[in-house]
Amino acid sequence: MSTQTDLSTIADFDPGTGVSSTREPIRRRVSDMQAYYADQEAAAAAVAGGDPLVYEYYDMGVQSTSGDVAYGTSTTFPGKVGDEYFMTKGHYHQVRDRAEVYFGLKGHGMLLLQTEEGAFTATEMGPGTVAYVPPCWGHRTVNTGDEDFVFLAVYPGDAGHDYGSIETTGFARRVVGVDGTPTLTDNAEFAR
Ligand code: M6P
Ligand code: ZN
C-alpha cells in the first residue's frame, strides 16, 4: 500500500517550547474570540490595549485521512480577560467519535471536557501529563499558570474541528481566578 503523505513535509518541533521552525502557526488574539469571554468590557479593553495573543497552534501538516494520525503543538500564553484565564476556543470533532490524546510539555493548565448530553469534567495538566479526550467529548484548554502552557495533541487525521457548537452553547464551566486560585464556576450563559 502506498501513502500520499510526503514525509519531507512532516514537521518536527522543539519539545521544550512546542515551536516548529518549519510551520506557520495559527494564532488567536482576544479579538478573534471576544464573545467567548464572560466579561465583555474587559475583552473590549484588552483588544483596545494591544489585543494580546491568547494562543497559537502548530499543525504539523499530516494529511486528513482516517488512516493518518494528525498531531500538533499548542501554546496558550499566560493572562486573563477580566478574571477569566486565557483559553482556546474549544471544539468538538466534526467526526464526533474521533478521540484525542494530549501530552503536557510545559507550564500548567486545565483541560475542560463536556458532552452534548450535559456531562462535564475537568483535568489538570502539567509537564508529562497524559490526558485523554474520549470520542464525542468537546474539549478546551486553559492556561492557569504564569508561564506558557504547552502540550502536544494527537488525533485521527479525519477528525476535523467543529467550532460552531461551542460558539453557540459555550462551555458549562468557566475557569476564573478567585484570590489567585484557578476555580471552576458555572457559566451563566451556558445553553445546551
Ligand atoms: C489542540 C488540538 C488542536 C486544536 C488546538 C487549538 O492543540 O486540540 O486540534 O486546534 O488545540 O484549539 P482550538 O482548535 O479549540 O482553537
Ligand atoms: Zn480536538
Side-chain angles (χ1 to χ4, degrees), residues 11-174:
D12 62 354
F13 59 88
D14 179 334
T17 62
V19 171
S20 170
S21 56
T22 55
R23 304 284 302 172
E24 267 306 301
I26 292 164
R27 293 200 162 98
R28 307 264 190 232
R29 296 182 176 278
V30 174
S31 60
D32 297 315
M33 51 185 308
Q34 215 165 322
Y36 285 73
Y37 289 95
D39 187 338
Q40 286 299 294
E41 245 172 65
V47 172
D51 198 10
L53 199 54
V54 177
Y55 66 98
E56 60 187 22
Y57 173 65
Y58 288 88
D59 174 351
M60 299 304 169
V62 173
Q63 61 175 11
S64 355
T65 77
S66 59
D68 279 287
V69 177
Y71 64 105
T73 52
S74 162
T75 298
T76 306
F77 299 101
K80 287 196 195 100
V81 173
D83 59 5
E84 191 170 10
Y85 292 92
F86 278 7
M87 60 188 176
T88 59
K89 286 186 170 183
H91 59 271
Y92 288 93
H93 289 152
Q94 233 151 27
V95 182
R96 282 290 192 272
D97 68 357
R98 299 305 194 249
E100 186 158 354
V101 173
Y102 284 174
F103 182 78
L105 296 173
K106 184 176 194 262
H108 294 273
M110 220 180 255
L111 166 63
L112 310 186
L113 292 167
Q114 71 182 23
T115 67
E116 290 167 297
E117 288 75 41
F120 176 90
T121 188
T123 172
E124 284 182 19
M125 285 185 64
T129 304
V130 177
Y132 187 59
V133 178
C136 303
W137 285 70
H139 37 294
R140 161 181 288 167
T141 45
V142 184
N143 185 341
T144 53
D146 47 23
E147 60 180 323
D148 294 356
F149 169 46
V150 187
F151 63 91
L152 169 70
V154 184
Y155 49 99
D158 67 345
H161 293 76
D162 171 10
Y163 293 103
S165 307
I166 303 288
E167 256 170 2
T168 313
T169 65
F171 259 76
R173 307 268 183 90
R174 295 182 179 278

